[in-house]
Amino acid sequence: MTGAAGHRDGRRAGAADVVNQVEGYLLWQARVAEAEERARAFTEPMAWLTGAQREEIEEHYTRDCLLRARSDLQRVADRCRALRGEYEERYRRLRARCFACVLAALALLAATAVVTLAVASTRL
């Protein structure tokens, strides 16, 4: 029997999960850093802003960017789950059709063997 990630060894599945979590964390931190950098670039030409105003605008801009990024990621994840379901269903139907074809071929071979034996026994 295989584990959650398709591995026979549960430890491998757990290690893959940890790697995926760390990768996700690092990607999100890169997204946060990018949003903060964009916020600073956005407020940079506004020399008339006070320090507090600049900080507030940058925080708002960063928060907005991250909310949009989270929304985008959620849409992508939802679509991935939907596609996975569709492909699993297609695979299940394909497997059933292949199994039916194999059974039909075996039945045809068995019928051919029976007819051949019947013809051979009548000649004797």
Side-chain angles (χ1 to χ4, degrees):
M1 192 83 172
T2 59
H7 299 286
R8 295 189 185 281
D9 183 1
R11 289 178 297 170
R12 286 186 185 172
D17 290 341
V18 169
V19 168
N20 286 336
Q21 288 177 355
V22 169
E23 182 182 25
Y25 174 80
L26 293 174
L27 288 171
W28 185 253
Q29 290 306 309
R31 182 63 63 114
V32 169
E34 179 185 348
E36 290 171 345
E37 184 180 324
R38 283 181 168 180
R40 282 189 295 278
F42 178 75
T43 59
E44 189 175 323
M46 300 177 197
W48 64 89
L49 292 174
T50 66
Q53 290 171 330
R54 181 178 309 277
E55 186 176 311
E56 184 178 346
I57 290 172
E58 287 176 2
E59 286 175 7
H60 178 72
Y61 189 97
T62 301
R63 190 172 36 256
D64 183 63
C65 284
L66 294 177
L67 284 173
R68 289 172 189 262
R70 185 175 300 273
S71 175
D72 291 344
L73 289 173
Q74 188 61 50
R75 274 195 306 278
V76 169
D78 292 344
R79 182 64 181 144
C80 287
R81 282 189 285 277
L83 284 173
R84 180 181 180 143
E86 290 175 25
Y87 287 133
E88 285 175 349
E89 177 60 23
R90 286 182 186 179
Y91 178 70
R92 187 192 62 73
R93 281 187 278 149
L94 178 63
R95 219 177 22 189
R97 271 189 277 168
C98 288
F99 184 69
C101 288
V102 167
L103 283 180
L106 289 174
L108 182 63
L109 284 173
T112 304
V114 167
V115 169
T116 304
L117 287 175
V119 169
S121 68
T122 57
R123 289 187 180 177
L124 293 175

